[in-house]
Amino acid sequence: MLPVLPPPCIPPAADSSSTPLDSGPDRGNPLNTTAILSVSNLQVRYPVSGRRMLTAIDDLSLTLHHGETLAVVGESGCGKSTLARAICGLTPISAGEIRFGGERLHGGDRRAVRRIGKHIQYVFQDPLDALDPRMTIAEILAEPLRHHFPKLTRGERQRRIDTALDAVALSPRHLTRYPHEFSGGQAQRIGIARALICEPSILICDEPVSALDVSIQAQIINLLQDIQRERRLAMLFISHDLRVVRHIADRMMVLYLGRLMEAGPAAALFDQPRHPYTRALLAAIPKADPAEEQERLEATPPLGNDLPSPLDPPSGCVFRTRCPEAAEPCKTYRHPPMELSLSHAVNCVHATTPDG
Ligand code: ADP
Ligand code: MG
């Protein structure tokens, strides 16, 4: 059984008028707090050349609730996709546990993995890459149904296809076309329709707009947000665009070299970031107003040197080699197991123990 959690207290939406997107999420609505997915002490390691192991995710725990959007942020190489892929069963895990509605996802029971698989669907970064060029849209949409719901009648299959097309504002006349006949934005709509066709309860979106033209990114983000709300989906939303995250996320987690640095309600992290890494990421967000942008550029020291190799992470705090606040105790800091919970938690020697 999963623990029953108290209702979260999520502050009202912050002003998001500087983004080209519609109004912020309805954060006044308390989430339905039934945990649908729980990840405990997850570790994912990849074998690399020279019989070494690269730790891409280390000791990470989270719960995902019905109807919430959880954002995962951090620079490229921090382990975001690895986390998403592990949750979908696309990448084997080295330690820890992933449970969907109480059922273990990784245990070698293929039937359980298959049963759970239809509930957790993935929207890929590059839609054209993810769609088989030899299949028509009708075939692309029918395939997951054949796999997960082989007993559907023809009529029921058609109903699901129509519903999914309608959800992404494509028309039935698109069904006979091939992926290359579509623009990037339309192709991503097809990718989203394919993810919806099994009527999943979790949608995993791994940088779903970063391969798209900037002019249509907001459309796709708004579409995902509408779908998430209407269907009360739990959404794991990976992005390095913090303006989008601010707009869309209920909770968020900041990853650095596979470790959780800070996590909690999105508004709390944006308004009172407590980890120097979160502060650095926020300071890197460009301002819409030119004068404010000039001020930001003058005031903000960039993150400096590159991400250290995850094959040879710094001792102590993994962020210390780039941290503006690094001090002696950081060299021997031991990251405690970090959990995304409903309160605001931070993984830094300078921060006092997380509340709660
Ligand atoms: P992100 O999505 O945040 O950019 P990834 O999860 O893709 O990060 O990668 C995390 C780390 O794991 C990176 O150092 C990356 O090079 C490494 N990595 C990812 N996939 C593999 C793999 N299949 N084999 C070896 N290393 C990998
Ligand atoms: Mg990635």
Side-chain angles (χ1 to χ4, degrees):
M1 278 300 290
L2 297 166
V4 177
L5 296 158
C9 177
I10 293 176
D15 177 27
S16 57
S17 56
S18 59
T19 72
L21 305 158
D22 71 9
S23 64
D26 185 4
R27 293 193 179 104
N29 268 345
L31 303 171
N32 172 346
T33 51
T34 320
I36 182 169
L37 180 90
S38 69
V39 173
S40 325
N41 307 103
L42 179 69
Q43 188 187 59
V44 180
R45 304 176 83 199
Y46 295 112
V48 290
S49 61
R51 300 173 75 193
R52 296 168 80 193
M53 296 298 276
L54 182 153
T55 305
I57 291 289
D58 208 4
D59 214 353
L60 187 147
S61 303
L62 66 94
T63 50
L64 187 64
H65 301 112
H66 279 289
E68 79 164 321
T69 298
L70 168 61
V72 183
V73 307
E75 289 158 284
S76 178
C78 283
K80 305 181 297 295
S81 296
T82 299
L83 172 65
R85 293 173 56 83
I87 289 175
C88 292
L90 298 171
T91 293
I93 70 176
S94 318
E97 195 173 80
I98 300 174
R99 283 178 176 270
F100 174 83
E103 189 167 9
R104 263 188 87 162
L105 211 95
H106 294 262
D109 180 354
R110 284 171 172 274
R111 282 182 33 220
V113 171
R114 191 178 161 136
R115 196 163 55 239
I116 294 166
K118 61 175 174 276
H119 299 292
I120 307 179
Q121 291 289 315
Y122 210 98
V123 175
F124 293 88
Q125 178 171 351
D126 188 339
L128 278 171
D129 217 40
L131 302 173
D132 189 329
R134 295 158 306 179
M135 287 164 85
T136 64
I137 306 314
E139 288 163 343
I140 286 169
L141 295 180
E143 192 192 51
L145 292 178
R146 226 189 326 275
H147 182 70
H148 289 296
F149 299 94
K151 291 183 186 140
L152 284 188
T153 64
R154 239 184 117 104
E156 181 61 13
R157 198 158 52 228
Q158 195 56 49
R159 188 198 64 79
R160 287 215 188 196
I161 290 174
D162 292 342
T163 308
L165 274 182
D166 192 52
V168 298
L170 288 177
S171 103
R173 74 190 151 78
H174 291 122
L175 284 172
T176 52
R177 308 228 187 120
Y178 289 87
H180 70 263
E181 300 176 55
F182 293 88
S183 67
Q186 280 177 320
Q188 191 57 297
R189 286 174 193 268
I190 296 162
I192 295 167
R194 182 180 59 179
L196 293 176
I197 201 106
C198 290
E199 300 180 352
S201 38
I202 300 178
L203 205 56
I204 302 208
C205 304
D206 190 354
E207 313 241 17
V209 298
S210 56
L212 305 180
D213 210 85
V214 175
S215 61
I216 54 154
Q217 290 186 358
Q219 274 177 32
I220 298 291
I221 294 291
N222 287 333
L223 174 70
L224 282 168
Q225 189 173 32
D226 289 346
I227 289 169
Q228 182 268 332
R229 284 183 190 159
E230 263 165 40
R231 301 181 172 224
R232 290 197 64 72
L233 293 174
M235 184 153 81
L236 189 78
F237 187 87
I238 296 173
S239 177
H240 57 241
D241 187 339
L242 281 127
R243 285 171 299 182
V244 170
V245 169
R246 173 159 212 158
H247 171 77
I248 201 170
D250 298 304
R251 289 192 296 158
M252 67 189 268
M253 42 200 273
V254 180
L255 284 184
Y256 186 80
L257 286 181
R259 288 195 173 269
L260 209 46
M261 295 287 111
E262 186 164 8
L269 266 74
F270 276 99
D271 295 341
Q272 283 132 14
R274 288 162 63 191
H275 197 287
Y277 184 53
T278 312
R279 287 202 285 269
L281 292 178
L282 291 178
I285 304 176
K287 300 274 189 199
D289 177 78
E292 283 180 29
E293 175 62 1
Q294 190 56 37
E295 212 174 291
R296 182 189 73 85
L297 289 172
E298 282 161 15
T300 312
L303 257 177
N305 47 348
D306 291 340
L307 195 67
S309 164
L311 272 171
D312 188 19
S315 63
C317 171
V318 289
F319 183 56
R320 72 179 170 86
T321 53
R322 297 167 80 201
C323 182
E325 292 167 40
E328 205 53 31
C330 305
K331 291 182 184 163
T332 51
Y333 180 69
R334 287 177 67 110
H335 290 283
M338 259 284 276
E339 180 169 9
L340 167 84
S341 68
L342 297 173
S343 57
H344 186 171
V346 62
N347 197 343
C348 171
V349 73
H350 299 304
T352 44
T353 346
D355 45 86

